[in-house]
Amino acid sequence: MKMMMNMMSCLVVGLALATSAYAVDGGNPKKGKHLYKKTCKVCHSQGDVGGEMTPMTKTMSQWDRYFKRNKHKGNPEVFQQLSDKDKLDIQQFLYDHAADSDQPQTCG
Amino acid sequence: MKTPIFPLLLGLLISCSSWAGQDHGEILSGPFASGSEVTSQCIECHEEHATALMKSSHWTWELEQQLPDRTVKRGKKNTINNFCVAVSSNEPRCTSCHAGYGWKDNNFDFNDMTKVDCLICHDTTGTYVKDPAGAGEVAAKVNLTRVAQNVGRPVRDNCGSCHFFGGGGDGVKHGDLDSSMSYPDKATDVHMDTDGNDFQCQDCHVTQDHQITGNAMGVSPGGDNPIGCSNCHEAEPHKKAKLNQHSQAIACQTCHIPVFAKNEPTKMSWDWSTAGSDRPQTVDQYGKHSYMKKKGDFVWAKSVTPEYAWYNGKADAYMPGDKMDAKVTTKLTYPLGSISDPQAKITPFKVHTGKQIFDKKHNIFITPKVFGKGGYWKTFDWAKAAELGMQQNATMVEKGISFSGEYGFAATEMWWPINHMVSPKSAALQCKDCHSAKGGRLDWQALGYDGDPMKNKTGVRHAR
């Protein structure tokens, strides 16, 4: 049982480290909000084909994973058309206002 | 003599690349415990820039200026408005928009260069914020090292951090400046449209030596305003001669900014006289507070049609200590000009109305202490707030005015010229918007005409 607990706490610490290692930094969240409204909301507003997406749709680490791995794989062209800086700005905005952030936002 | 072109080009190259060329990340390693620590580093190389900034009204919050019958020193420092009334005695809250650190009372040292806040204008990370009630100090969550390492030329977000949020919230004061101007579309503003001209503030508010051109009527009614459409556009830009003729009596803004507060609502009225009641707090259709116990009743509006008045570029204002008459509406700031003034043009304005505290015996407007210890927002005691506010107001003390003990509430107006949110030409006003049998948006009688001058050919005309 004790070993189990130790393993569990290692896992938790490991996970926490892995998560913090992702934490996006260096983007401009204000620019990101603008870019998000302009490029993402076109297909991700309520009732749209892409389904509604707001910063609160995901947690901070989910957003980071999304930008690192998924990269809009359903329609990768969308991401390819954006510059790395623009993507970083959007990611920063989504991360800063994710469901588990200090300031969750639906994007006004 | 011809100018040698090579040094000129070299100079241009150096000046253009001065921001991009210098990697501040290599110089500023941090960590920084306060904004002042960053500034101390900035001035190692940029002392002359800080010196220049300290001469500007972004730092002094006052400007010597000419009102019609007197020369005054006026600015945010001593202006009485019909929002939170006055900075004095409410510093730590109001001075969160000062381009400096630590102005918490009358003892702030305006000669201390390390108190200049370089980052509020030069942050490019979009993460720099001041503590909203911290006398201009940086909010605790800001990563100062990252911000300092990424300084650059200001963008709309920098100016907007104060100018879009003055009065304590988005779009409260100006009507033509709010958060939607950070990244506006063409319908919002043809000049700042992010997909078009993408002008930054300083493209029109031309700046040299940290002296930014332009003055708001509220704080500097007597200030210069060398900014104008004709700095870029021809004086007679229309194809139709009739329209060019109109421009002799009508400001460009009148037709080209048909509405303001296009995206975000703006505050149109603030009635302090109803504050303090235990009525429930309410919100309006925009989700904005319409009644708060601390502040009274508010009226907000969106897509507002401006009011129109003759304006010759000069304005007048109520100064602290001026006598007022509670039976009439006092215009705290207002444009000058009339139909008989050749320099005046019909110009659009936001008129913010208010009801605010005055001294019944002295017949002057009171500057109450609303924020902080003993302030109205804590005590709901107007007499106490008036007494403390007047005691802590250096201008009132200098004039030997203190609170008499009797107060009432009187009506006020502030006139705000509308210059931003220029619409695409397809949305400009058409003939019928003013010259309509049903009555257009201009009140001809109030402007001094006998009636619509298009129909009444013999009546009073604008002096030219």
Side-chain angles (χ1 to χ4, degrees):
Chain A
M1 185 66 191
K2 199 171 178 191
M3 199 172 142
M4 192 74 172
M5 287 287 280
N6 277 344
M7 272 174 71
M8 281 292 280
S9 44
C10 278
L11 204 69
V12 168
V13 171
L15 260 174
L17 280 175
T19 318
S20 64
Y22 281 154
V24 66
D25 192 24
N28 182 330
K30 289 182 181 165
K31 188 85 193 293
K33 181 173 182 173
H34 160 65
L35 292 167
Y36 165 78
K37 281 169 130 176
K38 193 172 135 188
T39 54
C40 310
K41 289 300 263 185
V42 183
C43 300
H44 289 295
S45 292
Q46 206 171 6
D48 281 339
V49 279
E52 191 185 18
M53 280 270 180
T54 78
M56 286 176 67
T57 307
K58 295 181 190 294
T59 63
M60 293 189 283
S61 55
Q62 281 174 332
W63 278 125
D64 279 350
R65 270 206 301 282
Y66 182 83
F67 277 80
K68 196 177 157 87
R69 295 189 195 153
N70 183 300
K71 298 181 179 171
H72 211 270
K73 69 180 176 194
N75 184 359
E77 273 180 30
V78 178
F79 258 41
Q80 284 155 16
Q81 282 163 8
L82 290 165
S83 72
D84 287 347
K85 177 72 174 77
D86 285 354
K87 273 184 287 211
L88 180 64
D89 290 344
I90 294 173
Q91 185 182 354
Q92 189 76 57
F93 165 67
L94 294 169
Y95 179 93
D96 287 359
H97 301 289
D100 58 341
S101 68
D102 291 341
Q103 296 171 304
Q105 263 188 31
T106 55
C107 183
Chain B
M1 198 184 88
K2 277 190 180 174
T3 316
I5 196 139
F6 179 69
L8 201 73
L9 279 175
L10 194 70
L12 206 71
L13 206 69
I14 291 169
S15 70
C16 290
S17 61
S18 59
W19 281 105
Q22 185 59 64
D23 182 359
H24 285 81
E26 287 175 4
I27 306 166
L28 305 168
S29 54
F32 300 104
S34 69
S36 277
E37 280 189 21
V38 180
T39 305
S40 301
Q41 292 269 299
C42 300
I43 58 183
E44 299 244 326
C45 297
H46 298 285
E47 188 179 330
E48 80 275 21
H49 295 143
T51 307
L53 185 274
M54 288 163 82
K55 288 182 189 142
S56 80
S57 50
H58 277 101
W59 174 258
T60 62
W61 276 17
E62 66 181 8
L63 182 72
E64 187 170 295
Q65 51 190 283
Q66 191 64 40
L67 298 185
D69 53 355
R70 53 188 160 164
T71 305
V72 296
K73 261 197 168 180
R74 180 184 167 100
K76 280 188 176 301
K77 202 186 241 178
N78 63 353
T79 292
I80 292 182
N81 67 32
N82 57 8
F83 295 88
C84 286
V85 185
V87 170
S88 194
S89 80
N90 302 305
E91 281 88 351
R93 180 74 184 91
C94 306
T95 56
S96 63
C97 263
H98 183 232
Y101 301 119
W103 182 356
K104 62 182 193 321
D105 54 31
N106 290 335
N107 299 316
F108 181 71
D109 183 359
F110 285 92
N111 295 313
D112 184 350
M113 191 177 283
T114 66
K115 298 296 181 197
V116 170
D117 182 351
C118 311
L119 302 176
I120 190 68
C121 302
H122 294 294
D123 167 43
T124 66
T125 69
T127 61
Y128 184 81
V129 276
K130 283 164 164 278
D131 180 338
E137 297 288 359
V138 186
K141 64 176 181 183
V142 173
N143 179 345
L144 276 172
T145 306
R146 193 184 146 219
V147 172
Q149 288 177 340
N150 288 283
V151 287
R153 285 192 189 284
V155 295
R156 291 180 300 266
D157 268 332
N158 296 94
C159 311
S161 65
C162 284
H163 293 284
F164 298 163
F165 295 91
D170 193 359
V172 169
K173 277 184 174 171
H174 288 267
D176 60 347
L177 293 175
D178 58 44
S179 64
S180 72
M181 297 294 273
S182 279
Y183 301 93
D185 58 11
K186 191 173 180 182
T188 303
D189 190 292
V190 291
H191 297 113
M192 292 184 252
D193 170 23
T194 49
D195 294 324
N197 292 313
D198 200 17
F199 280 15
Q200 302 304 316
C201 305
Q202 64 269 27
D203 287 330
C204 293
H205 293 261
V206 176
T207 301
Q208 196 171 11
D209 298 330
H210 281 74
Q211 311 305 304
I212 300 168
T213 52
N215 280 293
M217 189 175 284
V219 283
S220 295
D224 288 337
N225 271 308
I227 305 162
C229 311
S230 60
N231 286 4
C232 296
H233 298 278
E234 290 167 33
E236 296 191 334
H238 307 97
K239 287 193 189 110
K240 289 182 182 164
K242 198 76 188 164
L243 293 178
N244 288 333
Q245 276 170 24
H246 270 71
S247 65
Q248 291 173 2
I250 293 165
C252 309
Q253 295 92 318
T254 297
C255 298
H256 291 280
I257 314 178
V259 293
F260 61 85
K262 288 178 178 175
N263 307 295
E264 298 294 330
T266 187
K267 196 171 278 185
M268 298 302 293
S269 170
W270 184 333
D271 182 354
W272 278 102
S273 72
T274 55
S277 142
D278 286 324
R279 272 164 57 193
Q281 190 159 295
T282 50
V283 289
D284 63 12
Q285 72 265 41
Y286 310 111
K288 298 283 187 184
H289 286 128
S290 48
Y291 179 76
M292 290 173 83
K293 183 180 180 184
K294 280 181 174 182
K295 298 176 182 177
D297 281 289
F298 297 138
V299 177
W300 294 80
K302 207 169 147 180
S303 285
V304 186
T305 302
E307 295 198 30
Y308 298 95
W310 292 100
Y311 177 39
N312 64 14
K314 304 281 177 201
D316 203 357
Y318 176 91
M319 291 295 293
D322 283 358
K323 291 286 178 195
M324 45 74 74
D325 179 354
K327 291 191 287 296
V328 297
T329 300
T330 303
K331 291 181 175 184
L332 297 177
T333 52
Y334 58 99
L336 297 171
S338 71
I339 193 167
S340 55
D341 180 345
Q343 302 300 320
K345 293 185 179 187
I346 295 171
T347 308
F349 289 87
K350 167 186 165 176
V351 181
H352 183 260
T353 59
K355 245 184 148 181
Q356 63 197 87
I357 188 167
F358 77 103
D359 191 310
K360 271 185 165 175
K361 272 194 182 154
H362 298 325
N363 288 316
I364 57 154
F365 282 109
I366 288 168
T367 56
K369 180 176 177 61
V370 291
F371 182 87
K373 201 179 167 193
Y376 182 77
W377 291 339
K378 286 221 161 67
T379 64
F380 296 105
D381 179 347
W382 275 121
K384 176 93 176 154
E387 188 189 345
L388 288 175
M390 295 295 273
Q391 271 171 10
Q392 291 169 30
N393 186 326
T395 311
M396 297 297 186
V397 172
E398 198 179 298
K399 288 176 181 285
I401 308 171
S402 57
F403 176 48
S404 73
E406 284 185 42
Y407 68 86
F409 292 86
T412 54
E413 275 178 9
M414 276 188 95
W415 289 63
W416 295 76
I418 297 297
N419 293 313
H420 308 92
M421 295 192 182
V422 176
S423 291
K425 63 180 174 186
S426 58
L429 292 188
Q430 302 295 308
C431 310
K432 277 187 176 171
D433 286 307
C434 299
H435 302 289
S436 158
K438 290 181 210 151
R441 58 169 68 199
L442 293 186
D443 180 343
W444 299 112
Q445 271 77 22
L447 289 166
Y449 291 97
D450 296 322
D452 182 348
M454 193 178 84
K455 299 191 180 94
N456 186 343
K457 305 276 187 197
T458 56
V460 182
R461 312 294 276 198
H462 177 229
R464 289 178 190 173

